[in-house]
Amino acid sequence: MKLINFLIRNSEKFPKKIALIYEDKKITYNEFYEKVRKLSYGFEKIGIKKGNKIALILNNSLEFIYSFYAAANLGATLVPINISLSKKDVSNQLLLSKSKYIISWSSYLDNLFKHNQDLKTTNKKNCIVVDNSKKKYSNFNILMKYAPDNYFLGSHKFTKKTDLIFGLTSGSTSKPKIVVFSQETKIKRSIHAKKLYKLNSKEKIIVSTPMYHSISLRLITLPILLGATCIIIEKYTNKNWLRLIKK
């Protein structure tokens, strides 16, 4: 079973159940499915396919999760990058990972390309911005606007051993080390957590650590595997955490 199959299954089983909560937005499983379906189609229209690496330079957000599942549907590989890194370090990680596509904000990308000549050959149409910029980049919201009725999630051919995450960690040496997770690995880890903590579809799971961390990537797969609810905190503070716990 591939990662996208859990979203497909639970959109059919719990279509009106809340899948995602982000600030004041509540997204049902059916709405989640549709957004990922349209974004996956949009990704394909700009050339994203199995094996392509997509760098995600974003805060915790709905756009991050939609991108995660759209990429998983296509068999593409995500490269989550720490937004607090220097532009030089980000440039190095983009080059090391051989990321062909980048998802971020227009102002961030403008600054990144301005100060890093190593990225000057980057195709700007392969850069997707989540704001409403009308610049040279592809627009996330436009890519997620449409898909034909006969376009379905789960129809792409690849195995569960296909790479899902291309991570970069400094460890104890400050030099980037490559850590790769397949779809199968992320699924197995979520299943293990389900059994260990005796979790079920009634759970509400809070994602408060930055999504470029492996633990957060597990926390956005676990609730969808369960058919539970995923609550996203853009940036952790004690106040935000306590507010959500009280709710």
Side-chain angles (χ1 to χ4, degrees), residues 82 152 167:
N82 184 344
F152 301 104

Side-chain angles (χ1 to χ4, degrees), residues 36-44 70 73-74 151 153 156:
V36 172
R37 186 180 78 88
K38 291 175 180 177
L39 184 60
S40 179
Y41 180 77
F43 278 0
E44 281 200 88
N73 179 60
L74 298 175
Y151 184 87
L153 296 181
H156 294 77

Side-chain angles (χ1 to χ4, degrees), residues 18-184:
I18 300 300
L20 306 172
I21 298 176
Y22 176 72
E23 296 181 343
D24 295 328
K25 296 178 181 177
K26 294 182 178 181
I27 309 296
T28 66
Y29 267 96
N30 185 60
E31 291 170 333
F32 187 16
Y33 175 94
E34 276 300 302
K35 289 180 183 295
V36 172
R37 186 180 78 88
K38 291 175 180 177
L39 184 60
S40 179
Y41 180 77
F43 278 0
E44 281 200 88
K45 293 295 285 184
I46 62 169
I48 297 177
K49 58 186 179 181
K50 175 187 171 183
N52 285 161
K53 292 189 178 71
I54 308 169
L56 278 174
I57 312 173
L58 293 172
N59 288 325
N60 291 8
S61 60
L62 291 173
E63 289 87 356
F64 195 116
I65 292 189
Y66 296 152
S67 299
F68 181 87
Y69 280 92
N73 179 60
L74 298 175
T77 304
L78 289 167
V79 183
I81 294 179
N82 184 344
I83 61 173
S84 66
L85 291 176
S86 69
K87 297 298 186 293
K88 183 61 178 176
D89 285 339
V90 170
S91 175
N92 289 339
Q93 292 202 3
L94 289 171
L95 294 169
L96 179 62
S97 64
K98 298 181 181 178
S99 294
K100 186 174 181 180
Y101 296 87
I102 306 171
I103 303 176
S104 191
W105 305 273
S106 56
S107 58
Y108 184 96
L109 292 175
D110 285 345
N111 194 29
L112 180 66
F113 294 135
K114 181 179 178 181
H115 294 98
N116 291 277
Q117 291 301 309
D118 291 339
L119 299 175
K120 63 182 179 181
T121 59
T122 302
N123 183 345
K124 301 305 185 292
K125 284 300 179 183
N126 286 354
C127 299
I128 304 165
V129 295
V130 297
D131 49 25
N132 292 317
S133 168
K134 295 181 180 179
K135 295 182 180 180
K136 52 230 177 236
Y137 310 118
S138 295
N139 185 280
F140 187 94
N141 292 320
I142 292 174
L143 294 180
M144 198 169 61
K145 197 171 184 179
Y146 168 80
D149 293 339
N150 63 352
Y151 184 87
F152 301 104
L153 296 181
S155 60
H156 294 77
K157 295 182 179 180
F158 56 89
T159 72
K160 61 186 179 182
K161 294 187 182 296
T162 298
D163 292 343
L164 174 65
I165 302 294
F166 184 102
L168 292 158
T169 177
S170 62
S172 58
T173 65
S174 77
K175 294 181 180 179
K177 299 182 186 67
I178 298 169
V179 181
V180 180
F181 299 99
S182 67
Q183 293 206 15
E184 181 180 41

Side-chain angles (χ1 to χ4, degrees), residues 227-245:
T229 299
C230 179
I231 304 172
I232 307 151
I233 299 179
E234 180 180 3
K235 189 174 182 180
Y236 177 83
T237 64
N238 291 337
K239 184 178 180 180
N240 282 342
W241 177 265
L242 292 172
R243 176 176 55 83
L244 286 172
I245 293 296

